[in-house]
């Protein structure tokens, strides 16, 4: 029995997780899907096209609410460092889309477009376009991104995060 549990844990840690997100501005929609076991078991995390349940009313608290504790500076620094390290473990499988951006002022739009285009050209993928809108102020577009990560690669990042918190 223990051997099956270890084998199951090994499969969960070594099979890649796939995160896929699609967004569009016209009509406004967002869909985020997590694929377990290399994408074989898709789980919808966010789907804006699905009907929502009305929120339940919250009961009145009988006593005053406790003050929320803020994270310490040490935890914030360790969390930021761990987040950056975790980004290094991600692999971008697919990035495609188009963003149409207008800042209202043609000069500002041109300056933004020039700076952002330089960054986009330097990136290894070519499926994303940036289109300037010089005649109006707008942020529109559609896009899709697919990321994958092997959970076992995140274990050293988690260990370093816990070590920094001690």
């Amino acid at each position: 029995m223990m051997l099956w549990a270890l084998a199951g844990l090994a499969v969960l840690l070594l099979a890649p997780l796939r995160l896929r997100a699609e967004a569009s501005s016209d009509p406004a929609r967002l869909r985020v899907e997590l694929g377990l076991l290399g994408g074989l078991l898709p789980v919808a995390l966010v789907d804006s096209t699905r009907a929502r349940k009305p929120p339940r009313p919250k009961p009145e608290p009988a006593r005053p609410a406790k003050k929320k504790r803020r994270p310490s500076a040490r935890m914030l620094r360790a969390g930021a460092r761990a987040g950056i390290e975790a980004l290094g473990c991600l692999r971008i499988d697919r990035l495609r889309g188009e963003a149409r951006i207008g800042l209202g002022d043609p000069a500002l739009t041109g300056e933004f477009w020039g700076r952002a285009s330089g960054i986009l050209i330097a990136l290894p993928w070519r499926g994303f376009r940036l289109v300037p809108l010089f005649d109006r102020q707008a942020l529109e577009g559609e896009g899709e991104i697919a990321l994958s990560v092997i959970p076992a690669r995140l274990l050293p990042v988690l260990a370093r995060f816990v070590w920094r918190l001690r």
Side-chain angles (χ1 to χ4, degrees):
M1 184 66 166
M2 184 69 161
L3 186 62
W4 286 106
L6 288 175
L9 181 64
V11 167
L12 287 176
L13 289 176
L14 296 175
L17 293 175
R18 301 209 191 280
L19 184 69
R20 189 169 154 266
E22 293 180 36
S24 175
S25 64
D26 190 27
R29 66 178 168 83
L30 173 67
R31 179 168 170 79
V32 179
E33 187 176 272
L34 178 67
L36 302 173
L37 299 175
L40 294 176
L41 299 172
V43 177
L45 299 177
V46 177
D47 191 358
S48 63
T49 59
R50 195 175 345 157
R52 296 182 183 175
K53 296 178 186 175
R56 290 186 287 171
K58 292 184 178 180
E60 291 294 322
R63 53 192 154 131
K66 293 181 183 178
K67 282 188 173 180
K68 292 185 180 180
R69 290 186 54 180
R70 294 177 56 193
S72 67
R74 175 187 280 182
M75 179 172 270
L76 290 175
R77 281 193 304 272
R81 183 178 278 178
I84 291 171
E85 286 181 39
L87 285 176
C89 297
L90 290 177
R91 189 179 91 193
I92 298 176
D93 294 330
R94 179 176 47 239
L95 174 67
R96 67 169 188 78
E98 179 178 287
R100 295 175 293 278
I101 298 174
L103 300 178
D105 180 11
L108 287 176
T109 301
E111 182 179 345
F112 173 79
W113 184 69
R115 291 175 190 256
S117 293
I119 294 170
L120 286 176
I121 292 296
L123 296 176
W125 51 82
R126 302 280 189 242
F128 194 79
R129 282 186 356 154
L130 185 64
V131 178
L133 300 175
F134 294 107
D135 58 343
R136 66 184 189 276
Q137 185 175 1
L139 176 60
E140 314 169 337
E142 56 274 338
E144 176 186 4
I145 187 168
L147 306 170
S148 65
V149 64
I150 297 174
R153 288 188 174 178
L154 295 175
L155 290 177
V157 174
L158 179 65
R160 283 190 291 273
F161 173 70
V162 170
W163 183 260
R164 287 183 190 118
L165 290 180
R166 62 172 186 88

